[in-house]
């Protein structure tokens, strides 16, 4: 009996198993719309954009497009991607956002000057996804907002034009502009500590969306670049490389099974 087909099938099976184990460690692909969250023992250096612990935190590229709002410039935003990384301790959530911007706009001294800015919004009720445009009256959002005026605020919104500033200042920020790129860190206690504030836990992922304003392009208010809903991967999964590995393994087994069936069919056709 010609053993070559069986040898080739075995070689293919071994190759698929090796690929299944090796490829997920070589690529950085993640489930679509995931923003990875790194768990750390303490937040030392995470409150600074250049903190050493950020070197160990993977980031995700979040695509942006014009908001399309019915305001001047609503269809002409200029920032098309922001990179987002996140880390958490037992007490606090940190989010670092960075994006290319050839101009550093930090002034609003006259009516035609606007500062660069960034914001990330999360649902007040983390178990329900609100409308992407600043939530709704019965499904509100918290907004963590930073502007080049060196100002950061935690906001509450229940739809376009309803933004209000929350009273206390639990939100902290740090920012730098270097080599044509902004980096901004925002952080807040996990516990919302009151009504109308999102509480974060290790039990559940939380939806998140990002907006960026380019001041030199006169972007302000509804004229901005926005993302679709993504999610902060706070929960236990499935997510990340283990999830990818399962998919690779299932696909590999399918290929092996198909190959073996094909070989057996050829053998029977030949009367072997």
């Amino acid at each position: 009996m010609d053993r070559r087909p069986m040898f080739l099938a075995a070689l293919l099976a071994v190759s698929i198993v090796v690929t299944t184990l090796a490829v997920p460690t070589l690529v950085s692909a993640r489930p679509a719309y995931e923003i990875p969250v790194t768990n750390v023992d303490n937040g030392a250096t995470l409150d600074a954009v250049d903190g050493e612990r950020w070197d160990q935190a993977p980031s995700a590229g979040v695509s942006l497009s014009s908001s399309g709002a019915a305001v001047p410039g609503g269809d002409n935003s200029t920032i098309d991607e922001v990179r987002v990384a996140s880390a958490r301790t037992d007490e606090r959530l940190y989010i670092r956002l960075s994006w290319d911007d050839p101009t550093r706009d930090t002034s609003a001294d006259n009516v035609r000057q606007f500062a660069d800015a960034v914001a990330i919004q999360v649902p007040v009720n983390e178990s329900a996804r609100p409308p992407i445009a600043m939530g709704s009256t019965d499904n509100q959002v918290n907004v963590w907002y930073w502007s080049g005026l060196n100002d950061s605020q935690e906001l509450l919104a229940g739809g376009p034009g309803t933004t209000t500033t929350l009273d206390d200042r639990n939100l902290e920020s740090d920012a730098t502009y270097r080599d044509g790129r902004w980096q901004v860190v925002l952080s807040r206690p996990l516990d919302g500590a009151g009504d109308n504030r999102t509480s974060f836990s290790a039990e559940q992922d939380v939806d998140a969306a990002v907006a960026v304003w380019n001041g030199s392009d006169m972007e302000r208010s509804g004229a901005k670049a926005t993302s679709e809903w993504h999610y902060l991967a706070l929960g236990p999964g499935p997510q990340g490389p283990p999830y990818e590995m399962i998919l690779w393994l299932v696909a590999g087994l399918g290929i092996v099974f198909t190959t073996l069936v094909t070989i057996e069919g050829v053998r029977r056709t030949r009367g072997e």
Side-chain angles (χ1 to χ4, degrees), residues 181-241:
R181 190 171 181 83
W182 277 112
Q183 293 190 84
V184 176
V185 167
L186 298 168
S187 71
R188 202 210 69 178
L190 296 175
D191 186 354
D195 295 336
N196 299 324
R197 274 199 168 90
T198 309
S199 289
F200 303 94
S201 75
E203 304 301 321
Q204 184 173 340
D205 299 337
V206 174
D207 290 321
V210 181
V212 176
W213 292 260
N214 182 359
S216 63
D217 193 47
M218 301 189 70
E219 295 176 15
R220 75 281 190 194
S221 186
K224 56 188 176 183
T226 59
S227 76
E228 300 180 47
W229 281 113
H230 287 58
Y231 67 93
L232 295 165
L234 291 153
Q239 57 192 311

Side-chain angles (χ1 to χ4, degrees), residues 28 30-36 58-64 80-85 96 98 181 210 227-228 230:
S28 58
R30 295 187 177 83
Y33 303 108
E34 179 193 273
I35 297 172
S59 64
V62 173
S63 297
L64 305 174
D80 56 15
E81 185 188 75
V82 59
R83 293 209 67 84
V84 185
R96 187 175 71 170
S98 61
R181 190 171 181 83
V210 181
S227 76
E228 300 180 47
H230 287 58

